[in-house]
Amino acid sequence: MNEQLLGGISCEEFLRDYWQKRPLLVRNAMPGFTGLIEPDALFKLASDEDVSARLVFQKDHRWELERGPFARKDFKSARRSPVWTLLIQELNHYVPAAEALLQQFDFIPHARLDDLMVSYATPGAGVGPHFDSYDVFLLQGWGRRRWQISAQADLALIDGIPLKILQNFEPEQEWILAPGDMLYLPPHYAHDGVAVDECMTYSVGFRAPSTQEIATQFLVYMQDKIQLDGQYQDPDLIVQTHPAQIGEAMVAQVAAMIARVQWERADVIDFLGRYLTEPKPHVYFHPPERPASETAFEEKVRRHGLHLAPQSQMLFHDARYYLNGEEVSLADCSELLQLLADKRSIPGQAFTPAWRDWMYQAYLDGYVRLAESR
Ligand code: SIN
Ligand code: CO
């Protein structure tokens, strides 16, 4: 990894001293960086109904939030203030250069990565003082943004508005970030970014799911896994004084039934593989419009290799591989699958007939793409 990204410290030092602990401001983290997308192209993206786009602005001192898709005229609408922010989630699904940018953050496990968000703000705009439940690297594209941050413990939010805005924000530090500068913030760190000029900011976000979310999702997973035999029985039933009362014997028997719901480490691994690679509900894959035949596919892969579609998520644990919410059933291809998961691409010379059928199906599903079509 290039050490300039973290201001001259190694990724080991960053993880030890800053990650999940304290903010880090890096001037010129990416020299010459001015962004990955022009505003016009971003506005066009915001008109696509598959794209998760939000508009934030204040009207009569009240915060307002609108969800896309947006037409050009929405940005000029007279009913809205001229000070507004457009936020687009998952830029890495639409812009190949965004994926390359994310690869610079490979020193953090892919299992933690959420997405690359981009914001476009008119001068003076921002989304208000707030905190995120994410680790985030805020990378400045073109234009400048003033960031104020605070380690405050008071994270109470204003009630009854469509955005998360802190009731009391007490900034402790502030900087103006110019193109290529970057600010890392751990979760729950209060911050407020206001555009100095018309500007664009890229947020590399790393999810940190709550215990509640993990537990709820694990129970959903377990629901399909449990196989318990037996049935409620009461051959010794006796007459109750209150027929409406749930009897003690019933409570005890049901408690014993529920106690038979158990899981092992292998279930936790399988759950994590599926849960962490599960595409978000609004994510769509795009199967090839005119797919190559299996023979032509093999030839093209041999020549140029292939890569994961930008929407694809792939992770592994030991020899278990997961792609987009499902386990990959492909024996004896560990090395290749590891390469695909780590690098998101494989070169042509890695081709072996052993994985052709599986990979061809993944290609037809839109999960992987031929390298030449990138
Ligand atoms: C923004 O880019 O406007 C907001 C990013 C953030 O505060 O998380
Ligand atoms: Co934020």
Side-chain angles (χ1 to χ4, degrees), residues 177-199:
L177 269 68
D181 291 347
M182 186 171 79
L183 174 63
Y184 162 74
L185 293 177
H188 298 123
Y189 214 96
H191 57 284
D192 185 21
V194 175
V196 176
D197 322 299
E198 189 181 6
C199 85

Side-chain angles (χ1 to χ4, degrees), residues 85-87 117-121 125-128 130-132 136 138 140 145 147 185 191-194 200-203:
T85 297
L86 170 67
L87 300 154
M117 181 184 88
V118 60
S119 65
Y120 166 89
V127 299
H130 66 280
F131 67 90
D132 297 303
V136 67
L138 298 155
Q140 191 56 31
R145 186 185 282 273
W147 284 104
L185 293 177
H191 57 284
D192 185 21
V194 175
M200 291 176 80
T201 305
Y202 295 80
S203 302

Side-chain angles (χ1 to χ4, degrees), residues 164-176:
K164 276 176 32 176
I165 306 278
L166 290 166
Q167 280 178 17
N168 308 301
F169 179 55
E170 286 162 24
E172 294 165 348
Q173 282 177 288
E174 82 167 59
W175 307 278
I176 291 181

Side-chain angles (χ1 to χ4, degrees), residues 90 92-93 110-111 113-115 207 273-280 283 285 308-315 321-326 328 341 344 367:
E90 282 121 12
N92 48 311
H93 292 185
H110 292 179
L113 179 65
D114 193 57
D115 76 332
R207 59 177 159 191
R274 292 170 195 273
Y275 164 69
L276 293 173
T277 62
E278 180 69 32
K280 290 185 186 158
V283 168
F285 291 88
L308 288 177
Q311 302 88 345
S312 282
Q313 310 266 18
M314 190 172 184
L315 297 171
Y321 294 83
Y322 296 88
L323 176 61
N324 299 332
E326 284 165 31
V328 175
R344 298 187 62 84
Y367 291 179

